[in-house]
Amino acid sequence: MCGVVGYTGKKPAAPWLLDGLATLEYRGYDSAGIQVISPSGNLHGVKCAGRVATLRERCDSANPVGTCGIGHTRWATHGAPTDKNAHPHTDCSGRIAVVHNGIIENFQELKRELMAAGHTFKSETDTEVIAHLVEDAWAGPAKGDLVAALRNACDRLEGAWAIACVCADVPNQIVVTRKSSPLVVCSTDEGAYVASDVMPLASVASSVLQLQDNDFALLSEDGRVEITNREGEKVEHPETITIDWDASAATLGGYSDFMAKEISEQPEAIERLLTNRLGEHGIEMDELSMSKEELASIDRIYIIACGTSYHVGLIAKSLIEKWAKIPVSCEYASEFNYSDVLVTPHTMCVIITQSGETADTLTAARRMKGMGSTVFAITNVLGSSAARESDGTLYIQAGPEVAVASTKAYTAQMAASVLLALRLAFANGSMSREEVERRYHELEAIPGLIREVLARRWQPRQAAKLFRDKHSALFLGRGVNSTTAYEGALKLKEISYLHAEAYPAGEMKHGPIALLEPGFPVVAIVPADSVHDKTVSNIQESIARGAVVLAVATDGDEAVAKLCQDVLWIPPVENEMLVPLVAVVHLQMLARFVARARGLDVDKPRNLAKSVTVE
Ligand code: AGP
C-alpha cells in the first residue's frame, strides 16, 4: 500500500531514493518523504503531502546531502494525507527515523503508554509509535545495536509491517524488517538497497533477496546485507528472486502514460503465456503441482479475488463449469473471509491476484489452506506472497503493471483461466484432447484479434465524447459479457470518477431502468453470440427511454449499428466464451479517453493504490 525504499553506500542517497519512490508510487501517492543522514551526523528530512514530483521540488531547494537514507510514499490509513503525517517519522530526539508499510493494530494502546512515559508525538499515524519504541530500546537494552533495538520494538507490535529504520548515531546503517508486508534487499558494489518490491531495484541489481516474516536485515555502506531471524540467528540461505525483465519494462518507453502502454502490451502478454502449453496432458501446466488423479478428483472450486481480478474469477467460473463440469464459487476475498465455507477433501482454491500482495486475498488463501484445501495462485508478480504461500503458482508473465487500473493483467489472467479450465476438463475426462486443442487454437487467435481492436482506437476516442458533461453511466451485458460490463464500469469509475454501474442486461428492468432518462449513457456489450437478440431487446428498452446507447458489437452487425448512437466494433471471435478478452480492450481505451478528456492522471487515480495490503 505504501512504498518503502532505503540506500546506504558510496553514492549520494537522495537521487536514488527519489527515483525509487517514483517507481513505487503506484503503491500510494498521498504524501512522500525521505530522511538522509547528513555528513555532520544529523538526520535531514524532507516530506510533504502530494506526489513524489512535489517532494523532488522540495528536495531541490532543501538539498538533503548524505549517503545513507530511507524514503516512503504513502497511502493514508491513520491520519489525513498531510505534511506532518508523511513518513519518515522520528523519535523525540530526532535521531531515529522510520518508514513503514502496513498497519500497527495496537498503536493506540502503545501511544497511550509511550505518552504517559513522556514521549511527544508529532503525527496522527500508527507508524510513529515504532520510532518511539526504537528510541526506548536504543536508550536501554539495545544501545549500539540498531537491529536489537528494532527487534525489541517489533516485539511490542501487532499487525502488519515492512519497516526501514535509521539512527544518526550509526550513520551508515539501515535496519529493515517485515511481517505480512513485502520487502526485498540487495547487495551491490555501490552499496546496499531495500525496497517494497523489485521494481526500483531492477536498475541496480539482477537479483534480490526476499525477506521472510520476522527476518531482520542490517544494510551497511560497503554493500553488505546481514539477515537474521527473530531469535537473532543468521539466515543462511535467503530466498533469491532473479529479476528476469529489463528495467526499461517499467518505463514509459515513448507512451504518454502507463495505462496506454499496458493496454497495448496485451497481445504479447497473452502470447508469452501460451508458449509451449499444448502437450500430452492437453494443456501443460506443471505449475499446478498436482497429479492427473488429484486433478480429476476435484469436486469443488473456490475462486477468490478482489476488484478486476474478481471479474477474471467470474469468467473463470463460467469456463470451468462449462468445460470441466466442476461446481465453482467465485467470491470477493473481503466477504469470503467472514462467511461459511464448505470444504470437501477434494476442494481446490484458486486465488487470482495481479500483485500477489492483496491482503484480503492472502487472508482468504490462508484460511482455505488451514481448512485443508489446495491453494493455486494465478499472479503476475514473481516471488509475491501469493506465490510463496500457495501450493502451485501460474505466473501470467505480463511484465510489470504500473498503472493503478489493471488492463494487461486482466486479459492475461483471463487467458490463464482458460488454460486452467482446459487442463481440468482434460484431466477429469470432460473434454477430449481434440477438443482441448481446438479451444487452445481459438485462444491462440485472441492476440491477433486484440491487435485489430487496438488499431481501432479512434473508435473509443470518438465515443468518449458521449460522456462529456455526464455524471453517470450504465453498462449492460449478458452471459460472460455481463462481466465485461462490470469490468468496463470499474475501469470508467476508477480513472474518470464518473459514476458507472454495471448489470446483467436482463436485470435492468428489475430496477436500474429507473435511472434512464433522455441523454443517459448506456454501454451495451452485444457481440454476435447466443444471447445477442436478448441483449438487443434490452438496448431497445433503453432507447425507448431516451438513453444514448454505445454498443460493443461484432463487425457487420447492421441491426445494432442502426439502433445505437455509436458502436465500438470487434472482429468476429470464433468461441463466444473468449469474447470478453477482446471486447474489454475497447472499454479500457474508452475509460482512458474519458479520463484524459477530463484532464485526469489516468495512471494514479485519486484515493487508490495498486497494491492493497490492508484488509
Ligand atoms: C484494478 O483496476 C483495480 N485497481 C483493483 O480492483 C485491483 O484489481 C484489486 O485491488 C485487486 O488487486 P490484485 O489483482 O493485485 O489482487
Side-chain angles (χ1 to χ4, degrees):
M1 221 59 193
C2 303
V4 168
V5 289
Y7 168 75
T8 178
K10 302 178 183 134
K11 300 184 298 183
W16 185 81
L17 294 176
L18 290 168
D19 288 349
L21 289 180
T23 318
L24 284 183
E25 211 174 11
Y26 72 89
R27 300 178 74 87
Y29 32 83
D30 291 337
S31 64
I34 62 170
Q35 194 79 243
V36 169
I37 303 180
S38 70
S40 59
N42 292 308
L43 290 183
H44 187 173
V46 186
K47 57 186 195 170
C48 57
R51 303 276 171 94
V52 174
T54 314
L55 178 68
R56 244 184 231 284
E57 285 165 18
R58 298 269 177 107
C59 287
D60 284 347
S61 45
N63 192 26
V65 176
T67 56
C68 174
I70 54 178
H72 189 266
T73 176
R74 178 171 187 245
W75 186 84
T77 57
H78 296 69
T82 57
D83 285 4
K84 88 172 161 55
N85 288 332
H87 298 215
H89 291 288
T90 49
D91 70 327
C92 297
S93 71
R95 296 193 62 75
I96 292 166
V98 297
V99 289
H100 161 231
N101 170 34
I103 287 185
I104 306 303
E105 286 163 4
N106 58 337
F107 89 100
Q108 262 163 337
E109 162 194 337
L110 291 170
K111 189 169 176 174
R112 264 195 304 274
E113 179 190 317
L114 287 158
M115 285 175 79
H119 288 266
T120 311
F121 279 73
K122 299 177 278 290
S123 76
E124 299 149 336
T125 65
D126 53 339
T127 301
E128 196 180 339
V129 297
I130 306 169
H132 294 280
L133 288 171
V134 175
E135 177 186 4
D136 276 356
W138 186 253
K143 184 78 189 162
D145 184 345
L146 195 55
V147 177
L150 185 59
R151 189 178 285 124
N152 203 299
C154 289
D155 283 345
R156 303 289 319 278
L157 305 179
E158 287 166 20
W161 55 83
I163 302 169
C165 174
V166 288
C167 172
D169 297 342
V170 277
N172 301 310
Q173 293 184 0
I174 301 176
V175 176
V176 303
T177 186
R178 61 156 279 179
K179 188 191 152 220
S180 306
S181 287
L183 210 53
V184 289
V185 292
C186 73
S187 166
T188 75
D189 292 344
E190 294 189 307
Y193 297 81
V194 60
S196 292
D197 70 31
V198 295
M199 292 242 254
L201 303 181
S203 58
V204 295
S206 54
S207 67
V208 299
L209 302 175
Q210 171 97 56
L211 295 189
Q212 305 298 324
D213 276 356
N214 302 310
D215 278 355
F216 289 77
L218 171 64
L219 280 56
S220 307
E221 64 176 326
D222 58 4
R224 261 179 312 134
V225 173
E226 293 159 56
I227 305 178
T228 48
N229 63 18
R230 194 179 199 154
E231 287 69 44
E233 295 151 353
K234 186 170 179 212
V235 174
E236 294 290 353
H237 302 293
E239 192 182 321
T240 303
I241 302 174
T242 304
I243 304 175
D244 61 356
W245 42 268
D246 196 74
S248 64
T251 63
L252 280 172
Y255 286 86
S256 58
D257 50 84
F258 281 105
M259 188 176 182
K261 180 178 182 238
E262 289 156 11
I263 288 173
S264 77
E265 287 172 346
Q266 295 181 96
E268 292 74 29
I270 297 173
E271 280 166 351
R272 260 196 308 278
L273 181 64
L274 298 193
T275 311
N276 299 329
R277 288 290 171 185
L278 263 191
E280 59 164 317
H281 303 105
I283 297 298
E284 296 304 322
M285 202 179 277
D286 292 346
E287 297 93 333
L288 273 168
S289 311
M290 288 169 87
S291 67
K292 184 172 184 288
E293 292 66 37
E294 285 170 320
L295 287 174
S297 68
I298 293 170
D299 57 6
R300 188 181 176 92
I301 297 179
Y302 277 98
I303 298 179
I304 305 172
C306 300
T308 284
S309 295
Y310 171 78
H311 295 156
V312 176
L314 292 176
I315 304 233
K317 168 183 161 72
S318 303
L319 292 165
I320 295 170
E321 289 186 335
K322 189 175 177 75
W323 291 343
K325 316 284 182 225
I326 304 170
V328 180
S329 307
C330 180
E331 312 273 347
Y332 283 118
S334 54
E335 288 293 306
F336 174 84
N337 290 332
Y338 307 98
S339 62
D340 293 332
V341 189
L342 305 171
V343 175
T344 69
H346 301 289
T347 296
M348 181 191 199
C349 167
V350 179
I351 55 169
I352 305 178
T353 165
Q354 186 284 134
S355 62
E357 300 296 348
T358 300
D360 289 322
T361 307
L362 293 174
T363 304
R366 288 170 195 142
R367 185 171 178 222
M368 286 301 278
K369 257 196 131 170
M371 285 189 283
S373 168
T374 305
V375 176
F376 181 62
I378 296 178
T379 188
N380 193 27
V381 179
L382 226 63
S384 56
S385 302
R388 285 182 294 113
E389 294 184 26
S390 298
D391 299 300
T393 301
L394 177 56
Y395 286 112
I396 56 169
Q397 304 165 53
E401 191 180 64
V402 178
V404 166
S406 183
T407 53
K408 63 175 176 176
Y410 180 66
T411 45
Q413 287 176 157
M414 225 189 305
S417 303
V418 175
L419 295 174
L420 176 64
L422 293 175
R423 177 73 191 96
L424 292 169
F426 184 71
N428 70 15
S430 303
M431 232 188 223
S432 66
R433 182 190 301 269
E434 293 67 38
E435 205 179 339
V436 169
E437 283 183 17
R438 224 174 13 255
R439 300 284 94 90
Y440 173 81
H441 292 309
E442 287 163 358
L443 180 60
E444 252 188 340
I446 294 296
L449 301 179
I450 293 179
R451 284 192 182 94
E452 284 188 47
V453 171
L454 291 171
R456 301 174 186 190
R457 64 197 291 276
W458 59 271
Q459 294 175 3
R461 181 191 283 141
Q462 180 178 298
K465 296 187 181 116
L466 295 175
F467 297 84
R468 193 182 288 151
D469 306 323
K470 303 293 184 208
H471 303 290
S472 193
L474 183 62
F475 283 66
L476 301 174
R478 276 179 183 259
V480 277
N481 284 301
S482 55
T483 307
T484 309
Y486 301 153
E487 178 60 10
L490 176 62
K491 287 286 93 83
L492 189 68
K493 68 185 138 202
E494 187 175 24
I495 61 167
S496 76
Y497 317 151
L498 195 83
H499 171 247
E501 220 172 309
Y503 266 88
E507 265 298 297
M508 181 180 66
K509 56 189 173 295
H510 299 290
I513 198 165
L515 291 171
L516 302 186
E517 58 183 358
F520 190 95
V522 169
V523 180
I525 297 94
V526 54
D529 63 9
S530 50
V531 286
H532 171 269
D533 295 354
K534 298 261 180 236
T535 314
V536 169
S537 302
N538 303 129
I539 291 176
Q540 264 155 340
E541 289 156 12
S542 307
I543 290 171
R545 281 142 186 103
V548 169
V549 179
L550 169 65
V552 179
T554 308
D555 287 346
D557 192 336
E558 289 303 322
V560 166
K562 270 195 203 114
L563 267 180
C564 299
Q565 186 90 8
D566 204 349
V567 183
L568 305 173
W569 294 108
I570 59 168
V573 179
E574 206 173 334
N575 188 321
E576 68 177 63
M577 297 299 284
L578 304 184
V579 170
L581 283 150
V582 180
V584 76
V585 178
H586 265 313
L587 301 183
Q588 296 167 343
M589 294 193 286
L590 177 72
R592 180 177 168 273
F593 285 125
V594 172
R596 279 176 67 91
R598 294 176 165 230
L600 299 170
D601 179 344
V602 296
D603 286 344
K604 299 190 185 81
R606 69 182 178 201
N607 302 336
L608 287 168
K610 182 81 182 158
S611 180
V612 185
T613 57
V614 292
E615 281 183 47

